[in-house]
Amino acid sequence: MRDTTVVAGSDRTRPDGPTRAGRGRRPARRRVPLRTRLARDWQLLLMVTPGFLVLLVFSYLPILGNVIAFQDYNPYLGDNPLQAFARSNWIGFGQFQLLFEDSAFWDALRNTLAITAFQLVFFFPLPIFLAIMLHNLLSSRWRGFVQTVVYLPHFFSWVLVVSFFVAMLGGAGLLAQTMRDAGMQPWNVMTNPDTFIILVTAEAVWKDVGWGTIVFLAALSTIDTSLYEAAAADGAGRWRRLWHITLPGLRPVIVLLLILRLGDALSVGFEQFLLQRDAVGRQAAEVLDTFVYHFSIATGNYGYGAAAGLFKAAIGLGLILAANRVAHLLGERGIYSK
C-alpha cells in the first residue's frame, strides 16, 4: 500500500513553499511605497540632485528648441525667446528641404562619415591593445608611470593639442626644419587636405587613446585569474590565453562602446576642426558640427541649424537601435535588453 503520509518539512507544509498551482514560481515582491523609498533614500537623492539638474538644463530642456527646425525662426520678433517663437512663421519641412538641397551640407556629411569610418578602424582598437599591454605585459612598477603619461594629454585643450602638432609638423616646425637642414623638401602636413583625415586621427589618438583604456582596464580586472592559471597549466600559450580568455572577457564592453560610438558617428568633434578649417580648406575640414556653426549660428539662421542638428540626432538614434539589434542577434546584451 502506497504511503500517503505528508513528510514534515516538505514544500506543502512550509509557509514559504510553492503551492501546487504555482509550483516553480517566485513569490511576488512586495512593492515599497514611494513615500517610504523617499524617506529611506533621501541622502542618495540629495547627492544626485545637482547632476540631475545639470543634465536637465543642458541636455533635456534644449530638446524643446528643436521645434524651431519647423519654423522660419526670427529671434528679433519679440522681447524674449518665447515671444519670438510664438510670432515666427511655421514652414513645416521647409528647412529640411533647403538643407538637403545644399551641397555644403552633403560635403560636411561626407567628411563626417569618412572620418568616423577611418577612426573606427585605426583609433577604436588602440585603447584595447594598450589596455591589454598595460595589464599583462608591464610590471606593476612601470604600469602607474605609463598610465600617467598616456592619460595626461586628455586634459589638454584642443588649442594646445593643435599648437603642439603645428610646432612639430608645421611649415616652420621641428620636422620641416630638420628636413631643410638635411637638404630635403619638407612635407606639407598641417595644410595638406589630402592627408587631413590622417592628421586629425593622429591628434585624437595622442589626446585620448590613454583615457580610452580606463574602461577596458576595469573590465580586465574582473576576469578571473584562475582561468589564466588553468589555461597555462593545460599548455596554452600567451596568444591562446589572449584569444580564448582576455578577448571574450572584453567582448561585452567592446560591443557596448562600439554601439555608443556608432550612435555618435555624426559627431566627430567641433573645436579640433574649427581650429584647422582655414588651414586645409572647407572641402576637407568641414564636418556637421562646424557646418551648423558657420551656416546657422554665424549667420543667425537658427532654424536651419536646428534642422541639421535634428537630422544628426535622428540618424544617431537609428544607428544605436540598429547596432543594438545586431548585438542581440549575436548574443550580446548591448546597451539595453528587453
Side-chain angles (χ1 to χ4, degrees), residues 163-177 180 186-191:
S163 300
F164 173 80
F165 272 79
V166 170
M168 293 292 105
L169 305 177
L174 180 63
L175 177 62
Q177 189 62 41
R180 289 192 188 97
W187 293 338
N188 188 13
V189 178
M190 298 300 298
T191 58

Side-chain angles (χ1 to χ4, degrees), residues 33-43 45:
L34 177 61
R35 181 179 300 179
T36 303
R37 284 181 287 168
L38 292 177
R40 181 189 61 192
D41 301 329
W42 68 269
Q43 297 95 336
L45 295 174

